[in-house]
Amino acid sequence: MRVGPFIERARPRPGDDHGTEMIAIFLVHPDTGNAAAYLHGHQLGYTGRGWLRCETTAILGLWQPDYTMLTHAAANLPLPDNLGMDPARYGVHVEARRADGTGYTLLRLGPYFQTWVASHDADRLNTELAGRAATVIPGFTVSVKDALFDVSDRDSYTDPYVTDVTALLADAVAGKCMTA
């Protein structure tokens, strides 16, 4: 895939909704043949980027070893801070935290197929909690944030398109208050 004037190796996110215009990808160091080589990639700033939203027009095709010489790594350069790709955020997590930072995830919503919908639902739920986040569950502060959707843990997520997310939040909080 093209990153500025360079070509980089990437892999698509398993289970991602492969749309016609955008796809979720993870940049991979060109010398990475297996998991043991990830440390080298991390030192050059490749693995710390997480999943990114990439326009499908930037994808050039299957990775060829000959492309290695066209990468940031071959030029002895780290990846730029601004890759021109936003993080791929497809989930919303509702978390309950104590003052010491310990806590748990109360509710996971996803997958969202567009980041703006996930952000919209997170904003809706934070508005629902406004002014009472510290009193909803005694001893915990409840907050809502965008998060990466973990495809391998999809069973722990609730489909946000099936019901109203504010009703899901109310049910999750009611269930925790009864057990507390």
Side-chain angles (χ1 to χ4, degrees), residues 7-9 30 60-71:
I7 293 176
E8 297 297 339
R9 184 177 174 194
L60 302 173
L62 293 176
W63 177 256
Q64 303 295 323
D66 293 340
Y67 295 157
T68 300
M69 65 183 161
L70 303 172
T71 65

Side-chain angles (χ1 to χ4, degrees), residues 43-166:
Q43 290 169 341
L44 292 173
Y46 276 67
T47 57
R49 301 305 174 115
W51 295 103
L52 302 168
R53 296 288 287 159
C54 170
E55 292 183 14
T56 55
T57 55
I59 299 171
L60 302 173
L62 293 176
W63 177 256
Q64 303 295 323
D66 293 340
Y67 295 157
T68 300
M69 65 183 161
L70 303 172
T71 65
H72 282 86
N76 214 13
L77 296 170
L79 291 172
D81 289 334
N82 183 0
L83 294 167
M85 294 178 272
D86 293 327
R89 293 185 174 128
Y90 288 98
V92 170
H93 291 181
V94 179
E95 297 180 342
R97 297 269 171 232
R98 290 184 187 98
D100 65 3
T102 62
Y104 59 93
T105 302
L106 181 63
L107 177 66
R108 293 180 188 198
L109 301 171
Y112 288 90
F113 301 110
Q114 295 178 328
T115 57
W116 73 269
V117 178
S119 293
H120 178 264
D121 278 358
D123 291 345
R124 267 179 68 196
L125 294 175
N126 275 319
T127 300
E128 185 73 20
L129 291 169
R132 57 188 192 105
T135 61
V136 172
I137 299 174
F140 292 86
T141 299
V142 178
S143 63
V144 184
K145 65 178 184 171
D146 291 346
L148 292 174
F149 176 73
D150 184 358
V151 175
S152 62
D153 195 22
R154 77 184 81 173
D155 292 339
S156 70
Y157 285 82
T158 302
D159 187 345
Y161 298 106
V162 175
T163 187
D164 181 30
V165 294
T166 55

